[in-house]
Amino acid sequence: MGVRDERVGRLVLTSCEALENYPPGIQGRTLYAASRIPGGLFLLLQSFRVPFLVRMGSSLGGMAQRPIPYALVRRWYGPLLGRRAIRRDLAKFCRSTRKDTYLVAAEKLAEFDRPALVAWGAQDRMMPPATGRRLAELLPHGRYVEIPGAGTLVQVDNPGALCAELRRFIEETG
């Protein structure tokens, strides 16, 4: 998988960018485009200051099945909103990531010979469940589970079901 992955005994993946799904969804494509325009990322991120805009399907609202608490959004994005250096680094990352980055990374999954769990949001529109199933198939000891009632932000939408699957995985692979 990567450098020094022999130190990783087990792997858990939840809904994420993978394979050819980059940049993911309307949100990812908008972020990617904004990073290419001087000041674009700053302007786009200003929408995160308005709860109504955050809840929209074309923003973070499209990543969850239920509204994300605005206090949580502020905690996640506060540093990005308030620090130019962080926005600069994000823009640099967005501009430098090649479209095939995740396809190349996925080729290495077959080398990971330890237990792996792919826990995907059953209602994920941005990172479709088919992507999660494909990732699990690439892992020699991969197991795929869908988390009901969850979109991209599995841990926010259904933390109880995710924790239950994690406990089961840990017990089975202890």
Side-chain angles (χ1 to χ4, degrees), residues 8-103:
V8 178
R10 291 175 284 209
L11 175 67
V12 175
L13 299 174
T14 59
S15 295
C16 58
E17 293 99 338
L19 305 168
E20 63 279 329
N21 190 15
Y22 181 82
I26 185 72
Q27 299 91 335
R29 290 188 296 276
T30 302
L31 181 66
Y32 183 78
S35 73
R36 297 193 153 346
I37 301 167
L41 196 56
F42 174 78
L43 290 174
L44 174 66
L45 291 169
Q46 296 313 302
S47 69
F48 285 24
R49 295 183 186 280
V50 182
F52 166 77
L53 296 175
V54 169
R55 288 191 297 270
M56 292 178 60
S58 58
S59 184
L60 292 179
M63 297 174 67
Q65 295 299 296
R66 290 179 296 286
I68 303 167
Y70 187 64
L72 187 58
V73 172
R74 293 291 296 179
R75 194 167 74 216
W76 288 346
Y77 290 94
L80 191 58
L81 287 165
R83 299 196 46 206
R84 183 180 202 169
I86 295 173
R87 287 190 304 275
R88 179 201 62 221
D89 290 348
L90 175 61
K92 186 176 178 180
F93 169 78
C94 289
R95 289 191 306 265
S96 67
T97 304
R98 295 178 14 198
K99 185 142 179 74
D100 68 344
T101 296
Y102 295 103
L103 284 169

